[in-house]
């Protein structure tokens, strides 16, 4: 089992997406291995000094799940009503197995 972080980028205007928000949340609630999910707070991101960056769109979300493989996560998230409805502009799925904190699968792996 691994931990996976899924980053969604949403359109600036979420009017249409919010029409199916309950369906999206019901889908998330029933997702096996869900650890946490939610939209980012409105505002600006902080970037370290000297980085040349492009500001992220104002709406996005972070979802963290436990699953057997990246393929399993992608297959599951292909069924998200927001994804199916075209309300996700960009989706990034990354394996993320933190060596510290409450989600550590193997506490002997103490290096970040």
């Amino acid at each position: 089992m691994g931990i996976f972080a899924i980053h969604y980028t949403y359109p600036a205007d979420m009017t249409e997406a919010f029409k199916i928000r309950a369906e999206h949340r019901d889908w998330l609630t029933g997702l096996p291995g869900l650890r946490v999910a939610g939209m980012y707070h409105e505002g600006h991101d902080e970037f370290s000094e000297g980085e040349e960056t492009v500001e992220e769109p104002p709406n996005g979300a972070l979802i963290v799940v436990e699953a057997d493989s990246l393929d399993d996560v992608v297959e599951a998230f292909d069924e998200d009503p927001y994804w199916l409805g075209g309300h996700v502009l960009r989706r990034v799925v990354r394996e993320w197995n933190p060596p510290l904190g409450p989600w550590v699968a193997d506490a002997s792996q103490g290096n970040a």
Side-chain angles (χ1 to χ4, degrees), residues 21-38:
R21 187 179 206 179
E23 185 181 344
H24 165 72
R25 286 187 168 179
D26 286 346
W27 176 83
L28 279 171
T29 301
L31 192 65
L34 178 67
R35 296 291 182 109
V36 66

Side-chain angles (χ1 to χ4, degrees), residues 8 10 14 17-18 20-22 24 80-88:
Y8 276 2
Y10 298 129
M14 292 289 290
F18 285 153
I20 63 166
R21 187 179 206 179
H24 165 72
D80 182 350
Y82 272 6
W83 181 257
L84 292 171
H87 304 296
V88 178

Side-chain angles (χ1 to χ4, degrees), residues 92-105:
V92 178
V93 181
R94 298 185 81 175
E95 188 165 4
W96 178 64
N97 291 310
L100 303 172
W103 297 340
V104 174

Side-chain angles (χ1 to χ4, degrees), residues 2-13:
I3 304 289
F4 296 84
I6 300 93
H7 172 81
Y8 276 2
T9 300
Y10 298 129
D13 182 354

Side-chain angles (χ1 to χ4, degrees), residues 8-89:
Y8 276 2
T9 300
Y10 298 129
D13 182 354
M14 292 289 290
T15 304
E16 291 301 312
F18 285 153
K19 290 178 181 177
I20 63 166
R21 187 179 206 179
E23 185 181 344
H24 165 72
R25 286 187 168 179
D26 286 346
W27 176 83
L28 279 171
T29 301
L31 192 65
L34 178 67
R35 296 291 182 109
V36 66
M39 284 183 73
Y40 296 117
H41 290 280
E42 202 171 312
H44 296 282
D45 296 329
E46 189 278 326
F47 296 103
S48 62
E49 199 171 316
E51 281 186 26
E52 290 187 32
T53 59
V54 175
E55 190 170 316
E56 282 285 315
N59 297 314
L62 176 65
I63 306 162
V64 179
V65 299
E66 183 175 16
D68 287 328
S69 71
L70 178 70
D71 289 340
D72 288 346
V73 175
V74 170
E75 184 177 323
F77 276 76
D78 281 349
E79 299 301 317
D80 182 350
Y82 272 6
W83 181 257
L84 292 171
H87 304 296
V88 178
L89 298 177

